[in-house]
């Protein structure tokens, strides 16, 4: 089970770094350097990664709070994909606000899983 906890932490770090890349890709699309296709494709990859995070959290028997945060991240990613396709500009603009919520939850997952993993390693003899 410790391996799943290490994998969860690693995937959470990769996900958070991926969100930074998403902001960059959105910027490229916004300022005309490219279209939004890379942003959309990478967003789908990040969405799939949230499902993997959730499965690893459950299999690794992580604390309920981390599982709950993983569920929240999946929900925010589903909402993000929905908001990107809404035809009402005022609602679609929430796509950016939701991205900030995703950053916050992803950061919380990284920090809490890091502390949880460190506490597990301190208790478990080598």
């Amino acid at each position: 089970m410790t391996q799943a906890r290490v994998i969860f932490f690693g995937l959470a770090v990769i996900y958070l770094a991926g969100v930074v890349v998403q902001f960059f890709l959105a910027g490229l699309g916004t300022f005309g350097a490219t279209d939004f296709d890379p942003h959309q494709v990478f967003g789908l990859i990040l969405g799939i990664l949230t499902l993997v995070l959730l499965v690893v959290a459950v299999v690794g028997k992580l604390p309920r709070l981390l599982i709950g945060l993983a569920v929240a991240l999946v929900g925010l990613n589903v909402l993000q994909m929905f908001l990107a396709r809404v035809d009402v500009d005022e609602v679609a603009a929430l796509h950016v606000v939701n991205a900030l919520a995703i950053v916050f939850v992803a950061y919380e997952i990284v920090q809490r899983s890091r502390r949880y993993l460190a506490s597990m390693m301190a208790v478990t003899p080598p």
Side-chain angles (χ1 to χ4, degrees):
M1 292 303 162
T2 301
Q3 289 176 339
R5 294 169 184 150
V6 171
I7 291 169
F8 181 83
F9 172 70
L11 290 174
V13 170
I14 290 168
Y15 180 86
L16 185 57
V19 171
V20 173
V21 172
Q22 266 300 77
F23 273 93
F24 174 75
L25 294 174
L28 286 178
T30 300
F31 295 107
T34 184
D35 57 17
F36 282 99
D37 288 346
H39 178 73
Q40 291 173 342
V41 169
F42 197 66
L44 181 59
I45 292 168
L46 288 177
I48 293 168
L49 184 55
T50 62
L51 294 173
V52 174
L53 268 170
L54 179 57
V55 168
V56 172
V58 171
V59 168
K61 298 181 181 177
L62 272 66
R64 288 184 190 176
L65 179 63
L66 281 173
I67 293 173
L69 286 170
V71 168
L73 197 58
V74 169
L76 288 170
N77 273 266
V78 169
L79 179 60
Q80 191 71 339
M81 291 176 198
F82 170 76
L83 289 171
R85 305 219 184 284
V86 172
D87 287 334
V88 180
D89 292 341
E90 292 80 6
V91 176
L94 293 173
H95 182 79
V96 179
V97 176
N98 191 58
L100 292 175
I102 288 172
V103 169
F104 175 75
V105 172
Y107 179 78
E108 281 297 307
I109 288 173
V110 168
Q111 292 303 311
R112 290 175 185 272
S113 64
R114 179 189 57 79
R115 286 191 298 262
Y116 178 66
L117 187 58
S119 70
M120 294 301 297
M121 295 301 194
V123 172
T124 307

